[in-house]
Amino acid sequence: MSDQTPKIKIVGRIFVNFEIHALTGLHIGGAAGTLAIGNVDNPVIRNPFSNEPYVPGSSLRGKMRSQLEKLYGLAQNVSIGRDVSIHSAKTQAEYDNSPVLHIFGIPAADFLTEPTRLIVRDAALSEHTRTAFRDARTDLPYTEVKWEAAIDRVTSAATPRQQERVPAGAIFDGALTFTLYNDQDTELFNTVIRGLELVEEDYLGGQGARGSGQVAFKKIEISFNHHEQAVLSKHKLESLAELRALWADQGYAAK
């Protein structure tokens, strides 16, 4: 084995549990052909076993990445699917200097890279929301149907359409894990916090420009485990603002 082979060592991990509060109706789409209920035009994604809507980790992770790429003005230069592109590095220097790429990873490259640091879990309905919605008279199980009208710009004719949403007030139990490969990664975690802040400022899921998808991250629990220094700390916080303040107090503020 060559001495140039990169050595990947886990220094520690940061575990974050949080609640995702839907401040407005939330729509994260599912496949209409298999998940539609009651002939809804645009259904939400549901757990096929429980029939409950959930927030896929890929949706939150992808939104964080896209918002951070826009924040830093990064080019969408790699296609990962139909009409979907992400930013990736073309050179070692570009990768080395990009916090976004270190956090989210990149497709296979011919230069040295590290594994993705950020894992975002699927977020299921909280037990409180599950109970409340089970007793509520919602249009469909756990969801509402929002009627909209598409207006023809020439004839002014209105075409009605349906949009399934999880009602405002729903809470999902989310979690993420951030792996530390060196001590500088504690500062890199500030970018993860910023990504969550950007989601709060924007929206999660679809139809955000028409009012859907405003969320807030609350009831945050963070555990920081540094293997080599035998550091284990746990904190309970109410908001991202408190999380950012805590991380600065720990000496890990962004430089």
Side-chain angles (χ1 to χ4, degrees):
M1 182 178 292
S2 169
D3 291 338
Q4 300 301 314
T5 302
K7 297 179 180 179
I8 305 298
K9 182 179 180 180
I10 297 176
V11 174
R13 282 195 168 101
I14 300 169
F15 302 96
V16 185
N17 295 301
F18 49 87
E19 293 180 350
I20 305 173
H21 288 238
L23 304 183
T24 63
L26 179 65
H27 174 85
I28 298 179
T34 58
L35 298 178
I37 299 176
N39 296 320
V40 175
D41 296 331
N42 201 2
V44 300
I45 190 168
R46 293 174 180 265
N47 183 316
F49 292 101
S50 65
N51 199 35
E52 296 176 3
Y54 68 98
V55 176
S58 58
S59 296
L60 177 54
R61 191 178 189 275
K63 186 67 176 187
M64 292 170 64
R65 179 170 189 154
S66 67
Q67 288 290 291
L68 287 167
E69 289 177 348
K70 292 175 183 176
L71 178 68
Y72 294 116
L74 302 177
Q76 310 296 291
N77 55 7
V78 173
S79 175
I80 59 172
R82 181 180 178 183
D83 301 325
V84 179
S85 296
I86 62 171
H87 173 73
S88 188
K90 300 299 184 182
T91 66
Q92 184 74 58
E94 186 178 4
Y95 173 80
D96 291 342
N97 294 320
S98 173
V100 174
L101 299 183
H102 281 290
I103 291 170
F104 295 95
I106 65 172
D110 57 2
F111 48 82
L112 300 182
T113 64
E114 294 170 328
T116 179
R117 287 164 168 77
L118 181 63
I119 299 171
V120 182
R121 311 293 183 184
D122 289 349
L125 280 176
S126 70
E127 183 60 36
H128 172 77
T129 299
R130 185 179 297 114
T131 301
F133 282 16
R134 189 180 296 131
D135 297 335
R137 295 181 179 179
T138 52
D139 299 313
L140 296 171
Y142 307 104
T143 62
E144 64 183 359
V145 175
K146 179 176 180 285
W147 284 89
E148 299 178 344
I151 307 299
D152 188 295
R153 296 324 191 244
V154 176
T155 66
S156 297
T159 302
R161 59 190 177 191
Q162 298 167 305
Q163 173 95 355
E164 186 181 16
R165 306 194 307 178
V166 180
I171 300 172
F172 297 85
D173 292 326
L176 63 83
T177 301
F178 186 77
T179 301
L180 309 173
Y181 292 115
N182 57 67
D183 289 335
Q184 289 69 45
D185 284 348
T186 52
E187 296 178 10
L188 189 61
F189 185 69
N190 283 285
T191 304
V192 175
I193 299 173
R194 186 65 184 124
L196 292 170
E197 291 171 340
L198 289 169
V199 175
E200 281 193 342
E201 295 171 7
D202 202 72
Y203 61 88
L204 182 61
Q207 316 303 328
R210 297 200 291 273
S212 299
Q214 184 181 8
V215 298
F217 300 98
K218 301 181 180 181
K219 302 293 183 182
I220 299 168
E221 296 184 4
I222 181 169
S223 300
F224 176 34
N225 184 10
H226 194 298
H227 298 164
E228 294 182 342
Q229 298 178 12
V231 173
L232 176 61
S233 60
K234 296 182 180 180
H235 302 272
K236 293 186 177 181
L237 310 163
E238 291 298 323
S239 65
L240 292 179
E242 290 188 13
L243 177 58
R244 179 168 290 284
L246 168 70
W247 214 239
D249 290 342
Q250 298 290 315
Y252 304 132
K255 297 180 179 179

